[in-house]
Amino acid sequence: MMKQVALGNVVQINPSSIGKSFPFDEIDYIDISSVGTGTLSGTSRIKLKDAPSRAKRLVDHGDTILATVRPNLRSFLFIKNPTPNTVASTGFAVLRAKDIIDQRYLYYSVTLQSFTDYLSANVKGAAYPAVDTEAIARGTINLPALTTQQKIASILSAYDDLIENNNRRIKILEEMAQAIYREWFVNFRFPGHEKVKMVRSKLGMMPEGWEVKKLSDIVETQYGYTESAVEEKIGPKFLRGTDINKASFVDWDQVPYCKINEDDYLKYKLRKGDILIIRMADPGKVGIVEKDIDAIFASYLIRLNIVSVEILPYYLFHFLLSDCYQNYIIGASTGTTRKSASAGVVTSIDILIPPRKLLTVFESQVSMIRSQMNVFLDKNINLRKTRDLLLPKLISGEIDVEGLDIAVENR
């Protein structure tokens, strides 16, 4: 029997927060920059005394957190096995299931587009547009019998488990590529290094025959296009800083669209092998285009066009990911509340130029690793699409699961 209930009748909203008796000196902090649609890129371990005032919400295993501030209302997360000192920003609402609702079923119910649309319609405030706890509590969801909830959650979570497994494989492949870069071009243990003499340079000791050049001498820069991103497919994909600031790859399925005229489209069209670097808010975060796709890039990004045959895209990409470059850009960025770096600053650093033969071998090995990584990314896109097609049909009861023999577990 399917019935509709107000969310506030089946969950506790923001059930606990940091108080004076909080027993930890540090917290694992979840903020909006680390949460996507059902994914967590990581928490920040920070001293409690340094915690921002908005770090208040304590979370527990099985909680659902959802963003309450526009434009982040599609950011939500199911909490799994957090540390006892895990705290979420007050930009989230924490939903804790009561006994009558399955934890995972709750998560899937509030991630429905219809529920997000309800939240969007109840946003208040101009300077800080957000939805309050009263509005969240009034939102309605379908509530079948508990065993039916568990079956629905089991079906949907099977897709999420596969996605999570693929994400682990992607992370391993990312780390493999970065480890090769560090071993060859930071530690100088590249193939045949035993036969190469080390010599002094302005960057310290380096292999004989290598060169040092300014990055600005081997790349040209281009600022991106200014427009508003939209979810409707009204033009090409519109790559923004937020699409590359959490990982070393682009999940194109999550990238929105924008409108653009033909002349500007040709000017800003992305090509396979393009490297983009963020210049505002998260200066120095970098992404690379690894497939042919109908897309342009936004104004907070700078495209680095390689104009020299001395380097190749994956070598430049991993140099920009390296601690050397990231430490440089952090120190060179300006601004107190919002860091920024101009194209001149982004490229005003020396870069080692290894022999072309070694670069070609590196490019070949990393290309194979990154190609496999993108296979898993594409698999995740298909899994998400299938899950998202099933989600409203299962929650609404259009697909009846009551008579199905499905193993369920309490999560």
Side-chain angles (χ1 to χ4, degrees):
M1 178 71 178
M2 184 75 71
K3 61 180 178 179
Q4 279 204 330
V5 297
L7 192 62
N9 292 336
V10 295
V11 304
Q12 300 176 63
I13 303 177
N14 302 328
S16 56
S17 62
I18 291 178
K20 291 182 179 180
S21 60
F22 189 69
F24 300 100
D25 294 328
E26 293 182 326
I27 61 172
D28 289 326
Y29 179 50
I30 303 174
D31 69 359
I32 195 64
S33 67
S34 60
V35 175
T37 306
T39 60
L40 177 67
S41 61
T43 58
S44 302
R45 174 61 66 93
I46 56 178
K47 294 286 186 182
L48 181 60
K49 63 181 179 61
D50 298 328
S53 60
R54 59 185 180 276
K56 296 291 183 184
R57 314 257 193 253
L58 277 169
V59 299
D60 199 358
H61 175 76
D63 287 346
T64 289
I65 63 172
L66 56 87
T68 58
V69 182
R70 185 184 286 163
N72 302 310
L73 296 177
R74 288 292 297 168
S75 292
F76 32 72
L77 183 69
F78 182 77
I79 302 294
K80 292 182 179 180
N81 303 313
T83 61
N85 55 334
T86 301
V87 178
S89 159
T90 53
F92 293 103
V94 178
L95 309 181
R96 188 163 297 167
K98 296 180 181 179
D99 291 341
I100 59 174
I101 186 168
D102 179 78
Q103 294 172 334
R104 291 293 301 220
Y105 180 83
L106 165 64
Y107 167 75
Y108 289 118
S109 293
V110 298
T111 61
L112 274 172
Q113 183 65 51
S114 57
F115 193 84
T116 305
D117 290 343
Y118 163 78
L119 295 181
S120 298
N122 284 274
V123 166
K124 298 177 182 177
Y128 192 71
V131 59
D132 59 28
T133 55
E134 288 79 11
I136 295 171
R138 291 195 305 270
T140 59
I141 62 170
N142 287 335
L143 193 73
L146 186 59
T147 54
T148 300
Q149 296 174 37
Q150 291 168 338
K151 289 179 180 181
I152 291 171
S154 183
I155 292 169
L156 295 172
S157 62
Y159 288 91
D160 282 332
D161 289 345
L162 290 171
I163 291 170
E164 193 171 316
N165 286 336
N166 286 340
N167 284 337
R168 283 194 286 268
R169 295 184 178 103
I170 289 166
K171 185 173 180 61
I172 290 169
L173 291 166
E174 278 187 289
E175 292 171 350
M176 285 174 58
Q178 292 181 32
I180 293 172
Y181 173 85
R182 286 193 300 270
E183 188 73 357
W184 290 17
F185 304 116
V186 178
N187 301 325
F188 300 130
R189 290 194 288 264
F190 50 88
H193 71 278
E194 305 92 341
K195 301 177 182 179
V196 180
K197 180 182 176 182
M198 297 297 288
V199 298
R200 294 189 181 279
S201 76
K202 62 179 178 178
L203 294 181
M205 300 300 289
M206 74 175 190
E208 188 174 37
W210 294 30
E211 295 183 76
V212 178
K213 291 198 173 182
K214 281 284 184 193
L215 182 57
S216 56
D217 292 335
I218 55 180
V219 300
E220 291 179 344
T221 58
Q222 180 189 2
Y223 290 102
Y225 182 64
T226 301
E227 185 52 83
S228 297
V230 295
E231 294 300 322
E232 297 89 347
K233 192 174 181 180
I234 61 172
K237 290 279 188 177
F238 192 41
L239 188 70
R240 310 153 299 162
T242 190
D243 300 311
I244 67 172
N245 69 347
K246 299 173 187 175
S248 75
F249 56 85
V250 180
D251 185 349
W252 288 104
D253 191 44
Q254 305 299 313
V255 178
Y257 302 88
C258 77
K259 60 182 180 181
I260 188 171
N261 63 53
E262 186 174 351
D263 289 342
D264 284 334
Y265 173 76
L266 295 174
K267 181 179 178 181
Y268 296 103
K269 178 175 170 52
L270 289 170
R271 305 175 295 270
K272 186 176 180 180
D274 276 352
I275 294 169
L276 294 307
I277 192 163
I278 298 177
R279 66 181 181 90
M280 295 284 289
D282 281 316
K285 297 293 179 65
V286 60
I288 185 169
V289 179
E290 299 181 278
K291 62 171 67 177
D292 293 317
I293 190 160
D294 182 21
I296 65 168
F297 63 106
S299 57
Y300 275 20
L301 299 178
I302 299 172
R303 172 158 55 187
L304 303 185
N305 292 309
I306 298 174
V307 295
S308 169
V309 296
E310 296 172 292
I311 63 169
L312 294 170
Y314 277 125
Y315 176 73
L316 175 57
F317 175 62
H318 283 88
F319 168 73
L320 297 171
L321 286 175
S322 71
D323 290 342
C324 171
Y325 185 80
Q326 290 299 312
N327 290 336
Y328 157 76
I329 202 70
I330 289 170
S333 299
T334 58
T336 52
T337 59
R338 194 173 205 188
K339 294 287 187 180
S340 66
S342 66
V345 169
V346 162
T347 58
S348 186
I349 185 175
D350 292 321
I351 180 173
L352 277 176
I353 308 296
R356 178 74 180 197
K357 183 177 180 180
L358 181 60
L359 280 182
T360 302
V361 175
F362 174 78
E363 198 80 2
S364 176
Q365 290 197 18
V366 171
S367 292
M368 287 190 292
I369 293 171
R370 300 282 302 191
S371 176
Q372 184 60 48
M373 196 179 81
N374 278 276
V375 168
F376 288 121
L377 286 169
D378 289 340
K379 286 182 178 180
N380 278 356
I381 289 173
N382 291 330
L383 286 167
R384 279 198 299 263
K385 286 180 177 177
T386 304
R387 179 203 61 195
D388 291 346
L389 283 171
L390 285 172
L391 176 58
K393 296 179 184 295
L394 289 166
I395 298 291
S396 68
E398 181 180 342
I399 297 178
D400 185 4
V401 301
E402 288 191 28
L404 298 180
D405 185 15
I406 298 173
V408 298
E409 63 174 294
N410 294 320
R411 295 172 180 252

